[in-house]
Amino acid sequence: MKHKSGFVSIIGYPNAGKSTLVNALVGEKLSIVNAKVQTTRDRILGIYNSENYQIVFSDTPGIIDPKYKLQKKMMSYVMSSFVDSDLVVYVFDSNSNKNIVGKIKDILLELKVPLLIVINKIDLINQQKVEDIMKSLQSDFLDSDVIPISAKKEFNLEKVLETIKSNLQESPPFYDKTWFTDRSERYLVEEIIRNKILDNFQKEIPYSVNIQVEEFIEDNGLIRIRANIYVLRDSQRAILIGHKGSKLRKIGAQSRVEIEKLFNKKVFLETPIKISKNWRDDEKKLKKFGYQ
């Protein structure tokens, strides 16, 4: 059998389960999975490899109406993911009241590449509702496959993979077959720390934070990491630190455990907090943080 490869863009509204799906298909914890919305900020490539296939998944931010420059860049990553895609996968949240309407429906109907719609979270609804959703989607998107799944329970994902593979062309792999992402070690560390902040804080704090690894040094089986945590103002810095540093120590300890699992090495982690006023709306700061 000849080798097939291709690019697959995963899109949908916030909290539809896009990152959970990509992580399950790739077999690695690549993207942040969190109950809070807008946890994916940029386009992350996850790479599925088997003997005869390589599938390069783009996990994109949830589709929103952007309110500041960071969110505008997030939406540009969604649109740019269509450019080199061989297939677009739309993740429909069956447990949400949001439907495929308006602008996003127009975009999907005008796609120049095949569209696969997966109805996610079917473990949370009854069979009749699943059938009703399938009927509605098949009526709106006549030429598209519609597959009910549970990404969290990993139900029906083999069917998703087989459908994706059927849309790929013969091609050598685009990346080394040992890779599961194109992201750097520093980026993965930054995402781990950001996820722990998402886990431990509510309201505006998680969305005001950015992480940037300043130092990543491996020496005799030990990795020394200094990761700056940027916030918008002093009051947020105080909340992150907590009483006598308790909150920041907790974030550091939880992050270190997960980073050590990722690299299978001992880690020494520093997480100083710095103020970067208005960074979400400042073009220069966004570029510095890697949002192109």
Side-chain angles (χ1 to χ4, degrees), residues 231-245:
V231 293
L232 296 170
R233 47 188 176 270
D234 288 327
S235 59
Q236 294 170 343
R237 182 176 184 274
I239 293 169
L240 275 172
I241 291 172
H243 181 62
K244 295 184 178 180

Side-chain angles (χ1 to χ4, degrees), residues 101 117 149 183 292:
V101 295
I117 301 175
I149 69 164
R183 292 294 187 171
Q292 302 298 325

